Amino acid sequence: MPFFKERGVTLYLKREDTIHPHISGNKYRKLKYNFVEAKQRRQDTLLTFGGAFSNHIAATAFAGQEAGLKTIGVIRGEELEEGWQKNPTLKLASEHGMKFYFISRSEYRQKGNPEYQNQLRSRFGNVYLLPEGGTNDLAIKGCEEILTEEDNRFDFICSAVGTGGTIAGLINSAQPHQKVLGFPALKGDFLNADIQKLSDSRNWELIQDYQFGGYAKINTELVDFINNFKKKTGIPLDPVYTGKMVFGIFDLIKKGFFKSSTQILAIHTGGLQGIKGMNEVLKRKNLPLLDL
């Protein structure tokens, strides 16, 4: 059933956030084939990268524990090493067995450098290395499974965008008549180039107007929108990705971006574990809190 209809435009939400109780949404899809590959290689430890509120870090920790694999998180920001236990995301990851390696932001920018990755292997052994956000060819393969035959009737597929892996999978599996709209959480035009490297199709567009100041940035308008949306629908949205996407879709509908009779499918990619950490930020700024 649609949960929103206005100006002849119908919006549906695909609840990928409910496909697993702990490994949320697109993270489950991205990790699926990477874990298969790690086991086939007989590698018992996964090493990956993320920030203080990374859904990917939390999901990798739980999935690793569930699969009987050790996990290491290379965490952006050496200042987090003292007091990380107060961070809900890192605390959750630790409870599921992840060990942390805190590095400076300048060092973190080397995460994709093969030479730096070899240094990490020298330190931690023969680890299976997952990129930040989990995006690689195997992750895209998993995300291609989000859309099913039942979704062929939609005109637009909408997704939040972080590292580009999820939208690349959607682009690859979308039907010729469908257009994929991405709502980036990050500022900058680099994502266009990144997505072009991940997919050969051109049936997509990035909507750059709903970042609310940048990655993990939020204001009272977005908090109110997410809280009101939950009150009306019973569906929680995360403030970093899906909340901004749904806000953007509603705004585009009101502005007439979509013609009448358009059917939209928006992908709820999860990330709800990050709400507690964001509320800590909002408390410090004396701003309204997100409903839990």
Side-chain angles (χ1 to χ4, degrees):
M1 293 290 289
F3 69 86
F4 183 75
K5 189 168 185 178
E6 184 175 308
R7 303 188 180 209
V9 177
T10 309
L11 175 61
Y12 294 74
L13 191 67
K14 186 156 193 167
R15 297 291 305 275
E16 284 285 293
D17 61 307
T18 63
I19 62 176
H20 190 281
H22 300 288
I23 310 170
S24 185
N26 62 337
K27 303 307 177 188
Y28 177 89
R29 304 288 188 180
K30 288 182 173 183
L31 292 170
K32 177 180 176 181
Y33 291 112
N34 275 292
F35 274 61
V36 171
E37 181 70 12
K39 288 191 171 185
Q40 287 178 347
R41 294 184 187 180
R42 300 186 182 279
Q43 292 172 298
D44 66 357
T45 304
L46 287 89
L47 181 146
T48 194
F49 306 84
F53 302 110
S54 170
N55 298 317
H56 170 66
I57 288 291
T60 300
F62 186 91
Q65 186 179 66
E66 194 173 68
L69 298 172
K70 301 171 187 174
T71 55
I72 299 169
V74 179
I75 308 299
R76 180 180 64 247
E78 72 267 51
E79 74 279 1
L80 294 167
E81 189 164 5
E82 291 186 18
W84 63 261
Q85 295 88 347
K86 297 178 182 179
N87 178 291
T89 298
L90 299 181
K91 185 172 181 291
L92 180 66
S94 176
E95 288 170 354
H96 291 125
M98 179 173 277
K99 305 300 182 185
F100 300 128
Y101 177 47
F102 296 92
I103 61 175
S104 68
R105 282 164 171 75
S106 59
E107 185 176 343
Y108 191 84
R109 287 194 284 272
Q110 300 298 313
K111 62 185 180 296
N113 186 317
E115 187 175 319
Y116 180 70
Q117 293 175 358
N118 286 335
Q119 291 175 22
L120 292 173
R121 289 189 176 96
S122 296
R123 173 185 283 267
F124 295 109
N126 184 29
V127 296
Y128 183 93
L129 197 147
L130 274 171
E132 181 183 41
T135 292
N136 58 14
D137 290 343
L138 291 173
I140 293 169
K141 178 183 177 182
C143 290
E144 288 173 358
E145 297 177 354
I146 293 174
L147 297 179
T148 65
E149 287 188 13
E150 293 180 353
D151 302 323
N152 291 349
R153 62 195 175 95
F154 293 101
D155 304 299
F156 285 86
I157 310 296
C158 295
S159 175
V161 181
T163 54
T166 301
I167 194 173
L170 295 170
I171 290 166
N172 291 346
S173 58
Q175 297 300 305
H177 70 277
Q178 295 177 320
K179 186 167 185 179
V180 181
L181 297 183
F183 293 76
L186 304 167
K187 286 183 175 181
D189 295 329
F190 63 93
L191 274 172
N192 281 288
D194 288 350
I195 294 168
Q196 286 171 8
K197 294 175 185 175
L198 299 172
S199 177
D200 294 329
S201 298
R202 294 292 178 265
N203 59 337
W204 57 276
E205 177 184 351
L206 295 185
I207 307 295
Q208 300 279 6
D209 301 328
Y210 301 100
Q211 294 151 357
F212 286 84
Y215 181 71
K217 297 292 180 63
I218 189 171
N219 62 19
T220 301
E221 182 183 21
L222 184 60
V223 171
D224 290 344
F225 173 82
I226 291 172
N227 286 342
N228 288 333
F229 184 87
K230 185 179 179 182
K231 287 176 185 175
K232 291 177 181 178
T233 67
I235 301 172
L237 302 173
D238 88 285
V240 178
Y241 293 105
T242 307
K244 294 180 180 181
M245 173 195 68
V246 176
F247 181 99
I249 294 170
F250 275 40
D251 193 51
L252 290 177
I253 291 172
K254 292 172 184 175
K255 291 178 177 177
F257 180 91
F258 304 101
K259 67 180 183 180
S260 181
S261 79
T262 295
Q263 293 201 85
I264 305 167
L265 179 66
I267 310 299
H268 192 319
T269 51
L272 301 176
Q273 65 82 25
I275 291 177
K276 288 184 179 179
M278 183 59 73
N279 274 344
E280 293 299 319
V281 175
L282 293 170
K283 278 182 186 177
R284 291 196 294 270
K285 295 182 177 180
N286 200 29
L287 293 174
L289 302 184
L290 294 155
D291 292 339
L292 294 173

